[in-house]
Amino acid sequence: MTIPKYLGVFAVLVVGTILTYYVATIDLDSIFPGANTLVALLIAFTKMACVMLFFMHVYWSPKLIWLAVIASFFWMAIMFAFTMADYFTRAAGVFTT
C-alpha cells in the first residue's frame, strides 16, 4: 500500500474522531433513547474496520485470515449478547437509582 493510501485512511480516522466528538455534543435522545450511543458505536465500528482492513493488512490476506476475523466478530457478538441479556434481566440493586 502506498503512502497516499495510508494518508487517506488516516484522514478517514481523523474525520471519524471529529465526527464522534461532534455527535457527542448533540442530544440525539429525542429520536430514541440511546441514539447517541448507537451513532458513536457505528462510527467506532467504521474506524475499527478501516484499521483492521488496511493497517493490519487483512484486506490483502488469504481467506483463512478472513475466516478468523469473521469468526472473532461472531464470538464478540455472542459475548455482547450474553452480557446484555444479563444486564437487562437484573433487578434494581445497589448501583441503580
Side-chain angles (χ1 to χ4, degrees), residues 4-78:
K5 288 182 182 179
Y6 277 121
L7 292 176
V9 174
F10 177 71
V12 168
L13 296 175
V14 169
V15 168
T17 302
I18 293 168
L19 188 62
T20 301
Y21 171 77
Y22 179 71
V23 168
T25 62
I26 300 171
D27 184 23
L28 297 177
D29 285 340
S30 61
I31 300 170
F32 63 88
N36 282 82
T37 304
L38 180 64
V39 171
L41 284 173
L42 288 173
I43 295 169
F45 182 82
T46 304
K47 289 168 52 178
M48 179 270 314
C50 285
V51 168
M52 182 190 65
L53 287 174
F54 299 109
F55 288 139
M56 295 175 67
H57 301 283
V58 171
Y59 187 76
W60 299 278
S61 295
K63 299 297 181 195
L64 185 62
I65 301 297
W66 278 91
L67 179 65
V69 169
I70 292 169
S72 67
F73 280 117
F74 279 120
W75 180 251
M76 185 178 66
I78 291 169

Side-chain angles (χ1 to χ4, degrees), residues 33-34 37 79-92 96:
T37 304
M79 292 294 105
F80 276 133
F82 281 129
T83 302
M84 288 295 106
D86 178 53
Y87 176 75
F88 288 133
T89 57
R90 289 181 182 246
T96 59

